[in-house]
Amino acid sequence: MRDRARPSLLAVIALAAVAAWIAADLGDGAKATAESTTPEAGTRVARSVCEAHELRELQKKDPDLKVDFGEFKDATWPTRAACLSHAAAGDPDAPGPLQPIQFSHKHHAGLYQIDCQYCHSGTDRSPSAGVPATEVCMGCHAQFPASYDELEGIRTLKDHWAKKQPIEWVQIHRLPEYVQFQHRAHVRAGFACQECHGKVETYDKLPLVEETVWWPWLLPAHKLEMGWCIDCHRRNNATQDCAACHY
Amino acid sequence: MTPPPAESVAAMIRPAPVRVDSKVNRDLLRVMEGASVGYWVLLHLAVAFMLAAGGWWIYQVYRGLGIVGYRHPVFWGAYIVTFVFWVGIAHAGTLISAILYLFRAKWRNAINRSAEAMTVFAVLTAAQFLGIHVGRIWKSYFILPYPNQRALWVNFKSPLLWDTFAITTYATTSILFLYIGLVPDLAIARDRSTGWRRVLYAVLSLGWQGTSKQWKAQNRAVLHLSGLATPLVLSVHSVVSWDFAMSIVPTWHATIFAPYFVAGAIFSGFAMVLTMMIPVRRIFGLEEYITDYHFENMSRFLLLTSLIVGYAYLSEYFIAWYGHVEPESTEFWMRAFGPYWMSSWTMIICNAFVPQIFWFKWARTHVPTVFIVSVLVNIGMWFERYVIIVGGLSREYDPAAWGVYTPSWGELLIVAGSFGFFAQFFLIFLKLFPVVAIAEVKEIEIHSKAHGEVGH
Amino acid sequence: MAELDRREFLKLVGTSAGAAAAVGCSDLPEKLIPYVVQPEEITPGLPVIYASTCQECSAGCGVHVRTREGRPIKLEGNPEHPINRGKLCARGQAGLGRTYHPDRYQSALERDASGALAPVAWDQAIARLGAAVSAAGRRTAVLTSPLGPTLSGLLDSWLAATGGGMRVEYEPFAPEALRHAAEVVFGVASVPVFDLSDTDFVIDFGSDCLSTGLSPVEHARQLSAARDAAKESARAARLVYVGPRLDETASQSDEWLAPKPGTEGILALAIARAAVDAATGPDGEIGVAASAIARQLSGFGADAVAARTEVPAETIRRIGASLARARRPVALPPGVALSSSRATSTAAAVLFLNAAIGAVGHTVQVPPAPSRAPSFRDTTRLIEAMKAGDVDVLIVHGANPVHTLPSASGFAAALGKVKLVVSIASMPDETSALAHLVLPDHTTAESWGDAAPRPGVRSIVQPTLRPLYDTRAFGDTLLDTARAIGAAAAANLPAGSFRSAVEAAWKDTNWRAALQRGGVFDGGAWSSPGIAEGVARLQFKEPEIAGDGDFVLLAVPSPMLGDGRGANLGLLQETPDPITKIAWQSWAEISTKSADSLGVRPGDVLAVETASGKLEVPVWPRGGLRNDVVAIAFGQGHTVGSFAAATPDEYSTGLRAGERPAPGPARGVNVNAILPAQSDESGGRAFLVAKAKVGKTGRFQRLPYTQGTDNKRGRLLGESISLAALAAGGPSPWAPNETPGHVPGALAAVPAAAEHGETGERRAAAGHGGEHEILRAYDPVNDSVAEDPYRWGMTIDVDKCTGCSACIVACAVENNIPTVGESLILRNRTMQWIRIERWIGEGEPVLEPARPDVESREQLGNVDVRNAPMLCQHCGAAPCEPVCPVFATYHSPSGLNGMTYNRCIGTRYCSNNCPYKVRRFNWFDYQIERWPDPMGLGLNPDVTVRAQGVMEKCTFCVQRIQAARLTAKGEKRAVAAGEVQTACQQTCPTGAIVFDNLKLADNKAGAAANANAGRTYHALHPVNTRPAITYLAKVAREEGHEA
């Protein structure tokens, strides 16, 4: 018995330690996201829907945390997912350039599974995929409750729309000007956008997806470089005529 | 080869063998010691030209090739001309070192070192022009067949690619040749020098002790290298000539080009050796080692190659007339009497007529004459390439697209710079390495002494 | 390029990465700027096409404007438009350049105290104009080019509303004499419409109808169709040209008469007389015309006239007879160059001729008289008024009188007497430079409007991009001014903007349909009027050509620059003159004989002096010119604009982005400086009025010509075949047993051995190489991968090519080809992918002297001129391919000779080895140096802008091929015959160029070649490059082979 009890006891202690550590960590996280002054000790005030979401999460963890939700008591919009994605998309430390709007592909294409071509509508008929017009964004966002405006990205969007001023996105997937890439040819041939653009729907903030194929002599061919294109063209028995892309 | 006349051999043997070693060493190594004002002036001049040309070249890369005198349809100009010129120069070295070595032409020993050195520097100079000439130097590595994921390969059909290989091969071989010949002399230099030079020579001479084993190995190496190098003498300039012969440009597209160019190369190469060695001999008082007898033999060579080149000129015109293909005959007529008549006649007179003076012994043995002729031949050979390349392109199939090209001063500056580039190497070489192959000179003396005993 | 401006602009219209990249800015991060609201019809990356109207000249051709992301990038003819049927001339093709011109006025400008033009707010400017106009009242004058009906109507009512000022319509080269002649002869004051379609005999009395005539594109199209050598019936249709100079039309003609300048009218009457005699016997009745004509003709017997015109009597009789015999003949009256002080009677004489040969009502239609027509008389009246100080406000729109009026008219000086000169120009010109107020107009591509080039043709001008700058349409300027003046003035003017006015004017039509078609075209059949009685009053005699001097000064319109309005377009400056192949400069043409007697060689500067002034201009001796004539083209000699001054060596100034070269010596001369201000009997401007003294100055100026010689040395380049030989049938003498245009089955017929085997010796007649040349027949189809469905090929008909050079400009616009400027043309550094080689006769292998010289082989009366377009032949055995060390140029599976710019390292070996010399090298970073803002916006995003140090050449418009292939692929089909059109083919007015996929059974190119199998040849065939371009030899229609 004993001899069997000793290891299990050790295991329990270890697990407890880990749990405590995680809890502490979450606590910090909560503090970080929902800094709040406390009128009476221990009560925490939510100043925005997003903070409310976070505090609610904390409460789930330790029930005896006092929270004053105030006006945000049963506010559901923006959703917690929206809050998190928005924060992540605006995170300067994440790879990739900061966009004028904290737009998250993960939220739109991933969570809500909006089809790529809903926004990038040119892909199947035009050489260039095209970036959605502000109008397209507003098509949905105009219908969302005003509470969404607490997200900076939404405010910027509506601001541009009001001023009828285009949004200057920073280009991520860029080809040299001497390459004439044809989106329609590839989309019509039934290639998923992810083949070249990577799992866009899993990224909040979009970096240039680094993917490397290895050429027979173990030479690296990086995504959106010619070797990488050629490799795919060869595998799919597509044209390898220079004039197909260079003119 | 006619055997050296007795008196000149005697000149070599004297003074007596016992003291030979030390004296030869002293004489020949003296060249490397100190440096006269004249030397420094020359060196600075050379470097100055080189830098000026370099500056212009950088500007040319920045602004584009348009700043030089190219005119449609003449897309190859002074740069390619000079490239071919230097490759030609490079030929004497290998010829003297390899072929004459195999023929056991003893008189070569006094001049082979400088000739080989010249070869190396000339090839280096020539190689640069490939880069200067192209429109996108920053992309010129495309011409190397390196494996790449784009699965892009080079075009082995293109003579320009053959060029790349030919030049690199030739450079490697000639450097090896020069170096292996140098080893024993470097050892001597090592034993007599001090300070950094000693270190340098110690490293370069690969611990040469002069044991018979090492001599044997060295001789064998030289022998084999000569065997390897001999075909190169013919092949390299043949390949260069194919840059033109393989195209369909009238006056380029000719089977005679390979032998024609090779002969021309040897011709210009010997001329250049003379142009360099005559002043060197004078300045460093090497009359005892580089004798008139050497110059005479080389004059004979000039005469021979000049006859070959002259024959090529004649046959070109003959075929143009005999074949009567209108564009070609027209071009040849215009070569002689058209816009480039002056260059053509310079080339014909300097290359085909002037050297005929060497039928006379007095001319062959009169050093100033030899010097002047050699310089004229150098000039003539530059113009030969100029006439062939520029003249050929300026009057092609479509008369609506004819144009006359003249080099811009920028191009000429770079041409001058190439001479500076070449000269500075040679000058530095003079001060670092024995310009006459000490060991081989001794070898001759010992041999001839041996013969003397046998009683020749 | 300066980032900001571009950004600003992109904000306005929105763009996509593709477009941004094509401008050539590779600075990362590049911005993607989407629309705020994306227009329904626009998909970024796909072109949108709008129908509009070309405003470069008054012919009024319809255009299709190809736009990308809201920016027009290419003009193409509107196939539905009755005037040009999908074709455009060089000037039309270059028209877009005005919109993206760096010189443009970017706001309203006002002359400040210092006398310089300074920006001013529009409201202020309008207010000032309004005040001035209301103050001036009747002392207001408006000088405009011919306006569209709506704008014209608006202007009339505006003048009425603002006190009834004077209105003058001015067009330098308006056919006034012709209109007056029509008034006299037919009693209708309108310009007759000459219909050359299906004609079998055309005689042109010096209007150069194919390049600078009444309606060049239309006439070129009709004439080439009427003379199509593929059609047995049309083959022998004759063109006779009458004029002192071998111009484009003369070069196309079958017979060229060079009578004494000014005697064309008399000659016409004599020919009419001869025709009548031939038709009716010595004193018979004339069918159509009244006895009035008979009376007029009586005095003009062939023999009498022969002496006066220096044209042999038998020639006159012969031509008369042919005309009488002809089924559907037409005679064209003189154009600008030959309108003398008796231009009206000359034109009337030609109309007589038309009447005599029964052309009136068939090939000559007389439309009802228009409400208003340009008038030189009015213009001179205006100048008088200005001189007298009777004009307080002068508004100038669409015209540049300071440059285009003879200096002797004193217009510039008279301007000084006007209190307020207002210019509506959108770009600086000599007139706006003297204006007090500049209210810049939109360019054609930015504005609304309409045009009625002739009754029955109403054409719409619609904007294709948001105005680039703070400019305002002339119509709106007028309306705003009226409103500024006050309600009273504005009351009887249309409310709203000018656009709404245009729409209102079209309310009788289906507006949207009209917009889509580009207008309303309901043909125009008009009752053919009889001969008016007034004709009896006409006096026919030689005009007085005043001045001392042995030369008649012949001022000819420039095919490229017109009256000078094209001079500020680099593309037109760079496109060589179709005759002399000179670009960027002025030159004086004298005959080689006169040149010898003067002792001048090409480029020696001449002093040309008349009573009114003196010009110094380099000489270009020609054989194709009368000895008593000195010809100078209009167009150059500007003093304002970025091309006004010949720029110094661009390549040594180190110009970078945005910089403008410092002005150098003036570019060319303006012939108006030495033309006296004279008018003909009826007040139209006369040009053939002065004799000139011509002398040497001793100076020399190298002329930037692009073709050094017109001697093809008998080489297989521009070939010609006699009508007799052609009629005899049989295979082409230059390429035996060849199947130039592949027709499936035909290939099977040729055994593989014979296919590439020897096929016997070629005729010595074909020249180049003589009898020893062994030729190989081949089928271009074999020069692409067997399983590839495509082999792109072309057929070019030398017989149809007039040398008009529209293809050159179209190619440059489509393929982003830079203009390199005079100093680089002087170094043969032109970048154009297609050139038109002009050969005189078969030529002979003459041997050049040491100093290469330009010798003209033209001769008076010799019409053996061959215009052979030369572009990349996309050879099956291309010499350029094997010599490229890096495969930058290679043979594509579908037979194209591909050129991969980004692989090229610039060894230039390919160009050396190209026998056609069609490859071009990027000597500089033209992308930076030749497209200052905002020119970059007009670039074609589908074509890479080539970088410094790479080769380029004609690609057969591979971008169009790829687009078509993708579309076809999307629709699961192959590209159909004729689906892909290259830019040159699309615009060629005569349809000389046909491009197609030779592997299709019904391919157009092959069909064209097969239909003319008797005269096919391949350029420089003996070099055996197996070109994909099949040429059709010019047909020499010698006498005796008439229909």
Side-chain angles (χ1 to χ4, degrees), chain C residues 81 125 143-144 176 225 228 233 243 256 271 276 303 462 490 542 647 687 696 710 858 872 897 903 949 990 992 994 1041:
Chain C
H81 200 283
L143 177 80
T144 70
E176 284 187 59
D228 187 349
S233 55
W256 168 38
I271 293 177
V276 172
D303 305 290
Q462 66 171 312
E542 291 88 340
T647 54
F687 295 86
K696 298 167 72 167
D710 55 17
E858 300 166 345
C872 176
N897 174 238
R903 176 70 173 168
T990 62
V994 190
H1041 279 279

Side-chain angles (χ1 to χ4, degrees), chain B residues 59-77 79 133-143 146 148 150 152-161 242-249 252 323-331 333-334 337-341 393 395-404 408, chain C residues 650-656 702 706-709 711-713 715 717 768-773 825-829 835 837 839 845-852 870 879 881-887 901-909 911-925 929 947-951 1020 1023 1025:
Chain B
Y59 179 58
Q60 173 185 300
V61 171
Y62 166 70
R63 281 279 292 147
L65 269 173
I67 60 175
V68 296
Y70 292 111
R71 289 179 59 112
H72 188 82
V74 185
F75 277 4
W76 284 2
Y79 293 155
H133 158 83
V134 297
R136 298 205 299 172
I137 177 81
W138 54 94
K139 292 281 184 199
S140 49
Y141 61 89
F142 282 171
I143 208 171
Y146 64 97
N148 61 82
R150 302 195 296 294
L152 293 175
W153 207 232
V154 290
N155 181 1
F156 285 99
K157 279 192 219 155
S158 170
L160 286 183
L161 194 70
W242 290 335
D243 283 353
F244 310 103
M246 291 289 167
S247 80
I248 62 169
V249 177
W252 285 13
H324 80 86
V325 175
E326 189 270 317
E328 181 153 16
S329 43
T330 307
E331 277 217 49
W333 192 91
M334 285 175 187
F337 308 109
Y340 294 106
W341 64 273
L393 290 172
R395 296 279 181 268
E396 270 197 64
Y397 293 101
D398 186 346
W402 280 2
V404 175
S408 68
Chain C
E650 286 90 348
Y651 80 86
S652 58
T653 51
L655 279 186
R656 299 312 276 184
R702 190 153 169 264
T706 57
Q707 181 176 349
T709 172
N711 173 6
K712 78 184 181 73
R713 319 179 72 82
R715 297 178 186 179
L717 283 162
H768 179 60
E771 306 77 0
H772 306 304
E773 201 73 46
I825 296 285
L826 280 166
R827 283 165 183 76
N828 303 9
R829 302 259 187 90
R835 63 173 183 264
E837 297 179 346
W839 305 115
V846 291
L847 298 168
E848 260 190 4
R851 173 185 165 204
M870 178 55 74
E881 285 164 9
V883 298
C884 175
V886 293
F887 282 124
Y901 307 124
N902 44 311
R903 176 70 173 168
C904 176
I905 62 174
T907 67
R908 307 191 290 291
Y909 200 167
S911 175
N912 289 351
N913 218 28
C914 172
Y916 307 97
K917 290 286 169 276
V918 291
R919 289 179 157 266
R920 303 287 179 233
F921 186 70
N922 285 266
W923 298 106
F924 297 103
D925 197 338
E929 299 183 7
Q948 165 189 329
V950 305
M951 271 288 170
L1020 297 175
V1023 188
T1025 51

Side-chain angles (χ1 to χ4, degrees), chain B residues 236-274:
Chain B
V236 172
H237 221 60
S238 304
V239 170
V240 172
S241 78
W242 290 335
D243 283 353
F244 310 103
M246 291 289 167
S247 80
I248 62 169
V249 177
T251 72
W252 285 13
H253 187 57
T255 46
I256 191 181
F257 259 43
Y260 173 14
F261 269 49
V262 171
I266 296 164
F267 187 47
S268 61
F270 269 83
M272 188 53 98
V273 176
L274 284 168

Side-chain angles (χ1 to χ4, degrees), chain C residues 739-809:
Chain C
T739 59
H742 170 64
V743 179
L747 186 55
V750 186
E755 178 71 24
H756 298 295
E758 298 180 354
T759 56
E761 304 193 344
R762 198 182 84 258
R763 257 205 227 160
H768 179 60
E771 306 77 0
H772 306 304
E773 201 73 46
I774 303 292
L775 272 192
R776 296 165 182 284
Y778 73 94
D779 183 339
V781 172
N782 297 343
D783 293 316
S784 81
V785 174
E787 46 278 3
D788 192 283
Y790 303 102
R791 169 40 163 157
W792 300 104
M794 193 179 262
T795 304
I796 297 179
D797 192 339
V798 175
D799 187 47
K800 285 185 174 173
C801 179
T802 66
C804 74
S805 303
C807 49
I808 299 179
V809 182

Side-chain angles (χ1 to χ4, degrees), chain B residues 117-259:
Chain B
M118 215 185 65
T119 300
V120 174
F121 305 146
V123 174
L124 293 181
T125 320
Q128 296 197 318
F129 277 89
L130 293 175
I132 297 173
H133 158 83
V134 297
R136 298 205 299 172
I137 177 81
W138 54 94
K139 292 281 184 199
S140 49
Y141 61 89
F142 282 171
I143 208 171
L144 303 174
Y146 64 97
N148 61 82
Q149 15 74 351
R150 302 195 296 294
L152 293 175
W153 207 232
V154 290
N155 181 1
F156 285 99
K157 279 192 219 155
S158 170
L160 286 183
L161 194 70
W162 309 343
D163 243 14
T164 325
F165 293 135
I167 298 300
T168 42
T169 319
Y170 195 52
T172 328
T173 326
S174 44
I175 289 170
L176 273 178
F177 220 115
L178 175 65
Y179 182 55
I180 293 193
L182 262 173
V183 171
D185 297 2
L186 287 171
I188 301 170
R190 171 197 59 200
D191 302 341
R192 308 181 155 254
S193 55
T194 55
W196 65 271
R197 280 170 172 268
R198 188 180 184 78
V199 181
L200 175 72
Y201 298 133
V203 173
L204 289 178
S205 57
L206 309 170
W208 177 272
Q209 294 304 329
T211 64
S212 58
K213 198 147 167 292
Q214 286 176 326
W215 274 114
K216 214 159 175 217
Q218 198 254 2
N219 284 334
R220 169 137 306 135
V222 174
L223 180 67
H224 289 165
L225 269 176
S226 336
L228 279 175
T230 308
L232 277 183
V233 178
L234 304 178
S235 70
V236 172
H237 221 60
S238 304
V239 170
V240 172
S241 78
W242 290 335
D243 283 353
F244 310 103
M246 291 289 167
S247 80
I248 62 169
V249 177
T251 72
W252 285 13
H253 187 57
T255 46
I256 191 181
F257 259 43

Side-chain angles (χ1 to χ4, degrees), chain B residues 336-419:
Chain B
F337 308 109
Y340 294 106
W341 64 273
M342 216 187 278
S343 322
S344 328
W345 289 109
T346 317
M347 131 187 150
I348 290 169
I349 292 166
C350 292
N351 299 348
F353 292 123
V354 172
Q356 302 309 320
I357 198 178
F358 286 145
W359 286 108
F360 309 103
K361 186 171 175 63
W362 66 262
R364 295 201 299 270
T365 47
H366 183 245
V367 177
T369 317
V370 175
F371 183 71
I372 292 163
V373 172
S374 71
V375 171
L376 285 179
V377 168
N378 282 320
I379 295 169
M381 285 309 292
W382 194 87
F383 274 104
E384 175 190 303
R385 278 65 175 245
Y386 183 78
V387 167
I388 292 175
I389 294 170
V390 176
L393 290 172
S394 68
R395 296 279 181 268
E396 270 197 64
Y397 293 101
D398 186 346
W402 280 2
V404 175
Y405 155 96
T406 42
S408 68
W409 66 267
E411 283 159 290
L412 295 178
L413 175 61
I414 286 197
V415 172
S418 74
F419 280 87

